[in-house]
Amino acid sequence: MTNPSLSVRPAAECRYDVVALGEVMLRLDPGERRVRNARSFDVWEGGGEYNVARGLRRCFGLRGAIVTALANNDVGRLVEDLMLTGGLDTSWVQWRDFDGIGREVRNGLNFTERGFGVRGALGVSDRGHTAISQLRPDDVDWDALFGAGVRWLHTGGIFAALSERAADVAEAAMAAARRHGTVVSYDLNYRPSLWKGIGGVERAREVNRRLARHVDVMIGNEEDFTASLGFEVEGVSEDLTDLDTGAFRAMIERASAEYGNFRVIATTLRGVKSASVNDWGAIAWSRAEGFAEATHRAGLEILDRVGGGDSFASGLAYGLMELGSLAEAVEYGAAHGALAMTTPGDTTTATLAEVAKLAGGGSARVQR
C-alpha cells in the first residue's frame, strides 16, 4: 500500500525495514518503590532511538537492526541478551574493550521511577563515558549498511547530546541514508540533563538545527520543538494542562516553512493531570495531505509513561510505511503510545491487533 505523504522503498528490495542509531542502556526499575530506598530492581533495556525500532519489530512485525556501541563485559552482554529478545539484528553493534572499572568505556545505566499521583516520574541516568558516546563517524560502514537496502532510519536528539562527536556520527548516518533512498526520521527528545553541561538550550538548538536539514519525518512534543529548534508554541500553559491544537498547527506551519526538507511533522499532545492520569493525543502534518489529528484521549490512565513517545513514533512510522493515509498513521501512533504506557518498561508489549482495535475505536472490554 502506498502512503501519499511519503515515498518509502519497497520492502522486497531491502534487508531491513528500520535501522535505529542510538544508545541502549540498562534500565533499573524499583517498581512501586523509589530509587532512593529500593532493595531490588527489575531490569529492561531501553533507549529513545532503540525503542522505536524495537516497537516496529515486536508490535508491528517489521525487520529491524540497531547501531550502537557497548562495553564488552557482562553488563553489556546482558543488554545484548535483552536486545536479542527484542528481535533486532545486533550484528551492527560495536563492541569496545572494557578496562576493568570503566575509566575509558562503560555501559549506560538508567534508574527510573514510574511516579504515581502527585509524585512525578523520575529518571536518574548514569551514562558518562559510555561506549556509544565515543563512537566516531567512520566506525560504521554506512554505505554498506544502507547499500544493503534500508527503508527507514530513526535517530534523535538524545543520541546527538551524548558527546561532541555524537552529532557528527548522526549526520554521517543520516547523509548516507538519504544517498541510498532511505527515509530519515528524527525525534527531538529534548532532555535538559543531557545538555546541561555542554551548553544548554543554545547548544541543543545549534546541533538540532544542523541535523534537521537531513530529516524527512520530524517528531517531538511542545518542549522539544521549542527547546531544540526554537519554535514557540503560543498559548500553551506552563503546566501543559491546556493543549490548544490550533497553537500546534501554527508552530508546525512555521517549522515546515523553514525546513523545506520536512515531508512529515508530528507532535504528541500530553496534558499532565497527575503522574497517573494524562490527557493524550497527537497531531501530524504532511506536505501532501495537510493536517491529521488522532483521537484525543482525555484522562488516560498511566502505569509507566516512559517510552510512550517512542511508541507513538514507531506506530506513526508503521503507518507511513504500511497504511494508506497520514490520518491512519497518526491514529496508530497515538494508540500504540497509549497502550505502551499501560505496562512497565520503556518498550512496548502491545500487539498489532490491539493497536488496530484501539485506533479503530475499540474498548477495553475483557477478551475471552
Side-chain angles (χ1 to χ4, degrees):
M1 186 177 293
T2 301
N3 192 305
S5 287
L6 204 60
S7 176
V8 184
R9 292 183 64 180
E13 66 181 42
C14 294
R15 179 180 179 184
Y16 301 115
D17 297 298
V18 61
V19 168
L21 167 64
E23 182 164 51
V24 186
M25 295 190 294
L26 188 67
R27 172 175 169 176
L28 293 100
D29 186 333
E32 296 177 354
R33 295 177 175 83
R34 307 205 63 182
V35 169
R36 66 181 65 180
N37 59 13
R39 296 298 181 267
S40 63
F41 294 86
D42 287 327
V43 295
W44 292 279
E45 85 283 23
E49 297 83 14
Y50 164 84
N51 295 341
V52 176
R54 188 191 189 281
L56 283 163
R57 173 65 186 90
R58 293 294 284 170
C59 178
F60 297 103
L62 302 187
R63 304 157 298 165
I66 176 66
V67 179
T68 193
L70 294 166
N72 195 357
N73 58 24
D74 278 17
V75 175
R77 293 298 173 178
L78 171 57
V79 174
E80 178 194 35
D81 194 58
L82 291 163
M83 290 192 297
L84 289 170
T85 302
L88 297 184
D89 184 348
T90 59
S91 61
W92 296 92
V93 175
Q94 307 287 304
W95 291 97
R96 298 291 182 259
D97 291 336
F98 183 59
D99 60 28
I101 63 172
R103 285 191 183 93
E104 298 177 1
V105 64
R106 51 195 294 274
N107 297 302
L109 305 177
N110 183 22
F111 296 82
T112 302
E113 295 176 12
R114 303 174 204 166
F116 184 82
V118 295
R119 176 173 58 85
L122 173 69
V124 182
S125 296
D126 181 13
R127 66 198 306 178
H129 308 292
T130 55
I132 186 67
S133 70
Q134 300 176 50
L135 200 68
R136 295 170 298 186
D138 58 359
D139 283 342
V140 178
D141 188 339
W142 301 111
D143 285 314
L145 172 59
F146 293 107
V150 179
R151 301 174 75 196
W152 195 288
L153 168 69
H154 182 74
T155 190
I158 291 178
F159 172 67
L162 294 181
S163 68
E164 289 294 329
R165 66 173 60 150
D168 296 333
V169 175
E171 190 166 31
M174 295 159 83
R178 290 173 70 87
R179 285 197 301 272
H180 290 277
T182 299
V183 170
V184 177
S185 66
Y186 189 93
D187 193 330
L188 291 163
N189 253 336
Y190 177 72
R191 298 290 185 269
S193 60
L194 290 179
W195 294 100
K196 181 179 179 181
I198 56 172
V201 171
E202 293 75 15
R203 178 61 175 161
R205 288 180 180 174
E206 177 187 343
V207 168
N208 284 292
R209 284 170 172 167
R210 171 162 63 99
L211 296 179
R213 301 295 175 186
H214 301 278
V215 173
D216 300 301
V217 180
M218 183 59 83
I219 303 168
N221 62 24
E222 66 292 321
E223 182 184 20
D224 297 332
F225 278 95
T226 299
S228 297
L229 293 180
F231 294 108
E232 297 290 337
V233 183
E234 304 293 339
V236 175
S237 60
E238 289 187 10
D239 59 3
L240 305 181
T241 57
D242 181 19
L243 298 177
D244 176 12
T245 58
F248 284 87
R249 289 170 184 253
M251 180 274 292
I252 287 172
E253 288 175 344
R254 292 195 300 274
S256 65
E258 182 164 335
Y259 294 93
N261 51 292
F262 290 175
R263 288 187 276 168
V264 175
I265 302 172
T267 180
T268 53
L269 306 173
R270 185 194 295 269
V272 180
K273 296 183 178 298
S274 75
S276 314
V277 178
N278 291 181
D279 292 340
W280 174 255
I283 189 169
W285 166 94
S286 75
R287 294 190 185 278
E289 297 182 83
F291 284 97
E293 188 171 339
T295 300
H296 184 70
R297 295 181 171 88
L300 182 69
E301 293 176 295
I302 305 292
L303 179 64
D304 184 351
R305 66 167 283 168
V306 178
D310 302 329
S311 290
F312 166 76
S314 62
L316 178 80
Y318 172 80
L320 290 170
M321 282 190 273
E322 303 294 334
L323 303 179
S325 69
L326 181 67
E328 291 174 282
V330 74
E331 281 287 4
Y332 269 59
H336 190 219
L339 287 167
M341 292 185 289
T342 66
T343 54
D346 288 30
T347 55
T348 180
T349 61
T351 67
L352 176 54
E354 289 172 336
V355 173
K357 177 184 175 183
L358 186 60
S363 71
R365 286 180 62 87
V366 65
Q367 300 293 305
R368 299 186 189 274

